[in-house]
Amino acid sequence: MLNLWTFIFLCFLHLSSFNVVLGGVGDSLVSENPFTPKASVIRYWNKEIRREITKTHFLLSKVSPLTAVDSASFSKLAAQNDLASHLPSFCSSAKLFCFPDLSPSLEKHPKDERFAVYSNMNFSNYGTDRLAGVDSFKKYSEDSNIVVDSFHRYSRDSTGHKEQFANYASEGNVVDQNFHSYAASATGGSGNFNNYNREVNNPNLRFSSYGDDSNGHGQTFTQYTENANAGNGQSFSSYGKNGDGVPNDFSSYGKGANVIGSGFSGYGEAANGANDSFTSYGFDSNAPQNTFKSYGDGGNAAVNTFSSYRDQSNVGDDSFQSYAKNSNGEKVDFSNYGQSFNEGTDKFTGYGQGAVGQSIGFKIYGRNSTFKDYAKKEGIVFGRYNNGSSFETAQVKGGSSAVNKWVEPGKFFREKLLKQGTVMPMPDIKDKMPVRSFLPRTIVSKLPFSSSKIGELKRIFHAGDNSTLETVMLDALKECERAPSPGETKRCVGSAEDMIDFATSVLGRNVEVRTTENVKGSKQNIKIGSVKGINGGKVTKSVSCHQSLYPYLLYYCHSVPEVRVYEADILDPKSLEKINHGVAICHLDTSSWSSNHGAFMALGSGPGRIEVCHWIFENDMTWTISDS
């Protein structure tokens, strides 16, 4: 039998219409079920912080939307290590960032298909044995927040079959695509990836066992990941293995992208007459990273051309390891390669080892490269090779300190600009993270949070091996586990209570938290209205919290010494109408910052020589000691 107090508690949980008035919340009283996560955070704030919270406070919008019943239920499942079996309902109810579980689709589609407005599918055994015809994917997964697509055994053993991917996953947020056993043993035909993953945030595209044993089935990658941001990038593994006469053209690939990487491993292995062209690859991009490993090994009469490669980009790194090993008649031509305005690093190791009849040419080639076991080989011609490259035992250092056009105007600025009447550019301060909520402390405290527990986290959140979600979690965990910088105090928090604890542990209980009011003024010129220095504009401490990409809302909170924090009205420079109320923080001590930090590239100077200011972006925040 239930005792009396248990019965009363269950009644409170299940009577959703039952509300109580929580006192002590300033002028605005809040009517809230006392057992919800929101009510718990309100009580915790009012207990720990001298200034009481109002019902309209922006922090409350980030608190878990779980009902009292769901919160208790999922907390119990977490304690029993059984959340994984209820993940879909947990993600939906708690407003988390989870990938859909894709079930195999065995549809064969014997006729031509033109997919439009289609997303999150697992294509398995699609187009097998197709004779001619065209399948096109247009506006596929466009404008989606989370895109997860898998193409398995696609176009296998087909003849003359064409695949066209146009406007695929454009402007998506987190994109995970897996092309596995694609066009295996295909004859003729082609695949075209055009306007693919444009302006995507965090792309992760994997091409594995792609085009193996195929004959003349070419692939074209055009306007591929243009203006994309961060992410694993692209992985090409066992691509074109044992292929015959397979041309691959990478054109306008990664143009204008930010920190995108491509990995080519076991690519074109034992292929005959392969022809790969990399043109306008990584053009005008920021910090591209490309790894070519075991590329073209054992190939016969292959031709690989790298032209206008990483041109006008900012830094970046390419590694060519075991490239064209044991090949026959391989021809590789590097022309206008690495002409970055801020030079990156190229490493050539074991290149052409054991090859016969190779021809390798370098023309108009950038600087800052390392060549090992390579420079004395026959068949290598260098023309118009920039000074600064070295051979065999070179130690490569960073690039020049040219102004970085990749630092968005207004992202960093000097403190003197924060005065009334200043007209200045404002960067894009819009939050590009998926919408998520904190978890209640009763749940988050029961979940593992360590890179050593990644296997358990993958099980809970249904993350596959080498998936985007696995990488997302590992990246966040490693950043949270990183040792603090000199003078930094840091903590990652997944609940509002944990954030309150960290802020008050650094600043005391008399604190306020601020964020920029909205995103108006982004990517345009603004005029500064009235300006207020927090704590009278004195040098102070603050705790700034920045979002990390993770299944639930996770903030990287840190405190650094010697800052000034400002509030400023933001005006339209033409109408002088107030459009926003911004919060800015100025770091007065930059001595521990990297000399390659974007702030110094944009503003000039270097570590410890200038102060650097920036706006608090949408959904980020900064805590300070209260003015009152």
Side-chain angles (χ1 to χ4, degrees):
M1 293 180 62
L2 295 176
N3 61 41
L4 178 61
W5 289 111
T6 302
F7 176 78
I8 292 173
F9 176 73
L10 291 175
C11 288
F12 268 90
L13 289 182
H14 287 86
L15 291 176
S16 59
S17 61
F18 179 87
N19 288 328
V20 298
V21 176
L22 294 173
V25 290
D27 296 331
S28 301
L29 299 183
V30 173
S31 181
E32 184 73 36
N33 184 315
F35 300 103
T36 62
K38 184 176 180 180
S40 176
V41 169
I42 291 172
R43 287 195 301 272
Y44 198 77
W45 175 291
N46 292 338
K47 179 172 74 76
E48 297 296 327
I49 296 176
R50 291 176 185 170
R51 178 178 296 273
E52 294 176 341
I53 195 169
T54 65
K55 68 177 182 180
T56 57
H57 199 284
F58 74 90
L59 187 63
L60 293 180
S61 67
K62 306 180 187 315
V63 175
S64 175
L66 288 173
T67 65
V69 173
D70 283 344
S71 183
S73 174
F74 288 124
S75 180
K76 181 178 180 181
L77 289 171
Q80 296 171 342
N81 198 23
D82 197 28
L83 272 177
S85 60
H86 299 78
L87 184 65
S89 60
F90 179 49
C91 289
S92 175
S93 300
K95 199 163 74 174
L96 306 185
F97 161 64
C98 300
F99 279 25
D101 292 328
L102 299 183
S103 57
S105 170
L106 298 179
E107 300 172 351
K108 293 190 176 181
H109 297 277
K111 298 181 180 179
D112 291 0
E113 294 283 3
R114 284 168 173 75
F115 294 97
V117 195
Y118 208 74
S119 63
N120 294 330
M121 281 295 299
N122 182 344
F123 288 91
S124 182
N125 198 29
Y126 184 102
T128 298
D129 297 319
R130 281 289 304 277
L131 180 62
V134 178
D135 289 323
S136 74
F137 295 81
K138 185 177 182 181
K139 293 186 178 179
Y140 188 101
S141 297
E142 193 166 13
D143 263 335
S144 297
N145 185 38
I146 303 172
V147 178
V148 182
D149 298 313
S150 176
F151 293 83
H152 188 71
R153 297 181 67 180
Y154 187 98
S155 202
R156 182 178 180 178
D157 294 315
S158 64
T159 302
H161 183 239
K162 295 182 179 180
E163 307 93 35
Q164 296 178 350
F165 294 86
N167 292 311
Y168 190 98
S170 294
E171 301 182 28
N173 192 18
V174 181
V175 175
D176 185 296
Q177 267 123 36
N178 185 16
F179 293 85
H180 183 69
S181 189
Y182 187 105
S185 301
T187 300
S190 62
N192 183 16
F193 294 82
N194 187 31
N195 204 11
Y196 189 97
N197 275 242
R198 179 177 59 85
E199 297 184 9
V200 162
N201 191 37
N202 290 287
N204 185 0
L205 315 172
R206 297 181 301 281
F207 295 84
S208 177
S209 188
Y210 189 105
D212 286 5
D213 299 300
S214 63
N215 180 27
H217 188 88
Q219 307 294 337
T220 302
F221 296 84
T222 308
Q223 294 184 51
Y224 190 97
T225 61
E226 185 170 339
N227 295 325
N229 180 49
N232 276 350
Q234 293 74 236
S235 171
F236 296 85
S237 176
S238 186
Y239 187 108
K241 183 177 180 179
N242 298 319
D244 186 20
V246 178
N248 293 298
D249 183 12
F250 295 84
S251 176
S252 191
Y253 185 106
K255 179 181 179 181
N258 182 39
V259 198
I260 290 291
S262 294
F264 295 84
S265 176
Y267 186 102
E269 184 177 350
N272 180 46
N275 189 331
D276 297 328
S277 174
F278 295 84
T279 307
S280 191
Y281 189 102
F283 179 84
D284 197 30
S285 59
N286 182 43
Q289 295 186 339
N290 302 297
T291 301
F292 295 84
K293 185 176 181 181
S294 189
Y295 185 105
D297 284 8
N300 180 49
V303 177
N304 297 308
T305 303
F306 294 83
S307 175
S308 191
Y309 185 101
R310 216 173 69 201
D311 197 15
Q312 299 184 36
S313 295
N314 178 45
V315 296
D317 299 282
D318 291 336
S319 172
F320 293 83
Q321 183 178 358
S322 186
Y323 189 105
K325 182 178 180 180
N326 298 322
S327 61
N328 179 44
E330 189 108 334
K331 181 179 180 181
V332 183
D333 187 17
F334 292 85
S335 176
N336 195 19
Y337 182 103
Q339 290 288 96
S340 304
F341 71 88
N342 195 13
E343 298 290 354
T345 302
D346 298 304
K347 183 184 294 183
F348 293 82
T349 307
Y351 192 26
Q353 187 175 357
V356 177
Q358 65 178 2
S359 172
I360 299 173
F362 291 86
K363 185 178 181 182
I364 320 179
Y365 191 84
R367 62 188 68 205
N368 290 333
S369 300
T370 300
F371 296 87
K372 289 189 176 183
D373 305 321
Y374 178 65
K376 297 180 180 180
K377 292 181 178 294
E378 296 180 357
I380 300 170
V381 178
F382 293 88
R384 293 182 62 186
Y385 193 93
N386 286 349
N387 292 330
S389 297
S390 53
F391 298 89
E392 294 187 309
T393 58
Q395 297 296 318
V396 180
K397 296 184 178 180
S400 67
S401 58
V403 174
N404 186 354
K405 64 182 177 182
W406 260 96
V407 180
E408 190 178 5
K411 184 172 183 179
F412 302 105
F413 52 90
R414 302 294 300 273
E415 191 174 17
K416 63 185 179 182
L417 294 181
L418 284 171
K419 63 181 181 180
Q420 191 166 358
T422 299
V423 176
M424 61 187 290
M426 175 175 266
D428 184 3
I429 65 170
K430 185 178 180 181
D431 175 19
K432 295 181 174 62
M433 293 281 189
V435 177
R436 296 153 298 152
S437 293
F438 278 130
L439 282 178
R441 180 181 263 182
T442 55
I443 296 177
V444 77
S445 62
K446 297 178 177 66
L447 297 179
F449 191 78
S450 168
S451 57
S452 64
K453 301 286 187 181
I454 189 61
E456 178 63 12
L457 286 164
K458 287 167 63 177
R459 184 188 68 81
I460 293 172
F461 291 106
H462 298 188
D465 292 339
N466 302 315
S467 65
T468 297
L469 187 54
E470 178 187 12
T471 302
V472 160
M473 291 192 293
L474 271 175
D475 286 348
L477 291 167
K478 289 178 179 177
E479 179 64 11
C480 291
E481 293 167 355
R482 173 186 60 78
S485 303
E488 180 188 39
T489 304
K490 61 188 278 284
R491 183 182 176 187
C492 288
V493 297
S495 73
E497 293 93 337
D498 288 341
M499 182 182 283
I500 292 168
D501 282 352
F502 179 71
T504 54
S505 72
V506 174
L507 303 171
R509 297 179 62 187
N510 186 30
V511 294
E512 289 186 62
V513 58
R514 297 174 174 85
T515 189
T516 298
E517 192 172 280
N518 55 60
V519 298
K520 292 179 180 178
S522 290
K523 302 171 71 173
Q524 65 187 55
N525 283 339
I526 58 169
K527 189 168 186 175
I528 303 297
S530 61
V531 179
K532 174 188 175 184
I534 304 304
N535 293 330
K538 298 176 183 178
V539 177
T540 185
K541 288 198 302 184
S542 74
V543 170
S544 291
C545 295
H546 313 281
Q547 284 190 79
S548 295
L549 187 56
Y550 204 71
Y552 50 83
L553 186 57
L554 181 72
Y555 277 90
Y556 176 98
C557 293
H558 66 139
S559 173
V560 291
E562 295 191 39
V563 299
R564 277 194 281 262
V565 179
Y566 294 90
E567 289 183 319
D569 286 339
I570 295 173
L571 314 178
D572 182 286
K574 295 180 180 178
S575 68
L576 301 183
E577 176 188 358
K578 178 184 173 182
I579 58 175
N580 203 344
H581 187 72
V583 177
I585 184 169
C586 293
H587 298 266
L588 307 182
D589 181 4
T590 60
S591 58
S592 64
W593 293 21
S594 167
S595 59
N596 290 326
H597 195 286
F600 304 131
M601 293 182 178
L603 305 175
S605 196
R609 295 170 57 190
I610 61 170
E611 87 294 339
V612 173
C613 305
H614 62 84
W615 297 105
I616 299 298
F617 283 22
E618 180 187 24
N619 287 324
D620 287 349
M621 63 193 83
T622 189
W623 297 71
T624 61
I625 297 171
S626 176
D627 280 339
S628 56

